[in-house]
Amino acid sequence: HTVDEFAGVAITGFVSDGRQIVNRAREEASNYDETYGTKIPPKTLANRLSAYVHYFTLHGALRPFGCSTLIAAYDPATKEHSLHMVEPSGVTYEYYGAAAGRGRQPARTEMEKLAINPKLVAVASSASSGEGGGSGEGELITCAEGVKQLAKIIYTLHDEAKDKPFELEMSWLCEGSGWKHVGVPKGVIAEATAWAKKEIEEAEGEESEEEEDDDEMEE
């Protein structure tokens, strides 16, 4: 959901609760722009939504929100972008990569393998340079590559026997989009999906070959 030109949110949980948070986010972004004449900074938007969600946990007459909120935004004034997540309790943290909803833990484990943390990438790059490593190491993942990797993670964790069919939708906020929150083109998603399924099939084929080799060795 786009809440402002340079900000978007993703919701997981109760749809009705998510809509209310999206509407609140749009109000906060609009009010900030009218009051200060500039776009709302990512951290400010996250803190205001956090306070709003937390308020519903303080009174017996109110029901806490049953959803988590991911916020991606860009601040034109400081030229900085960030990702935040607001928990149903109202707690908010900033992330380099975050997952919410069902299967979030294995998804986080897979994301930790990607080069999304600038600090860790810088350390790896320094270590590689010290050891005489080749070029190409120690680089942050691009948004285009990130779309492919996220598609791979989602299809890897999806169990066709237990989980319902789904349609993959993505949005991004990056240099390629002019730092505006827009939907990822369907062609890009289709290409990422095909690549992800191919990678998964190849990985499963390698695992099957290794298992067969182990069985032969045992015999």
Side-chain angles (χ1 to χ4, degrees):
H1 303 274
T2 298
V3 299
D4 197 14
E5 184 178 10
F6 301 104
V9 302
I11 302 293
T12 179
F14 293 147
V15 177
S16 57
D17 289 8
R19 288 181 182 145
Q20 187 169 345
I21 292 178
V22 170
N23 291 334
R24 180 69 180 197
R26 287 171 176 162
E27 291 177 5
E28 292 290 355
S30 178
N31 292 339
Y32 191 94
D33 193 4
E34 292 177 359
T35 302
Y36 301 103
T38 184
K39 298 299 182 181
I40 187 169
K43 189 172 183 180
T44 302
L45 178 59
N47 288 337
R48 291 191 176 187
L49 284 182
S50 173
Y52 176 70
V53 172
H54 181 62
Y55 177 80
F56 282 76
T57 69
L58 302 177
H59 302 277
L62 300 175
R63 175 181 64 79
F65 283 97
C67 62
S68 296
T69 308
L70 290 170
I71 306 167
Y74 173 75
D75 187 356
T78 61
K79 309 296 182 183
E80 295 181 352
H81 56 277
S82 58
L83 173 69
H84 304 260
M85 182 162 68
V86 180
E87 302 282 358
S89 63
V91 176
T92 181
Y93 294 104
E94 182 177 348
Y95 295 87
Y96 290 114
R102 184 179 180 181
R104 60 186 177 275
Q105 192 53 51
R108 288 173 181 170
T109 301
E110 292 299 320
M111 281 193 291
E112 289 173 357
K113 302 175 184 178
L114 305 177
I116 57 177
N117 188 330
K119 296 178 181 178
L120 296 180
V121 169
V123 172
S125 179
S126 299
S128 177
S129 298
E131 296 174 359
S135 60
E137 296 184 10
E139 295 182 357
L140 283 172
I141 189 173
T142 64
C143 281
E145 181 64 22
V147 169
K148 292 182 178 180
Q149 294 295 339
L150 288 179
K152 181 180 177 181
I153 291 173
I154 292 173
Y155 278 100
T156 298
L157 300 180
H158 179 71
D159 189 344
E160 295 182 356
K162 298 180 181 179
D163 301 329
K164 297 180 180 179
F166 70 96
E167 181 178 352
L168 182 61
E169 295 181 340
M170 294 187 186
S171 63
W172 58 16
L173 184 147
C174 57
E175 190 174 1
S177 67
W179 295 112
K180 295 180 181 180
H181 179 257
V182 296
V184 178
K186 292 184 178 180
V188 175
I189 295 178
E191 182 181 345
T193 300
W195 177 87
K197 291 181 177 180
K198 182 179 179 181
E199 287 288 312
I200 294 172
E201 290 177 359
E202 291 179 355
E204 291 177 348
E206 292 177 359
E207 290 180 359
S208 299
E209 291 178 359
E210 291 178 358
E211 290 178 356
E212 290 177 0
D213 292 340
D214 291 340
D215 293 338
E216 291 178 358
M217 291 178 64
E218 290 177 358
E219 291 175 358

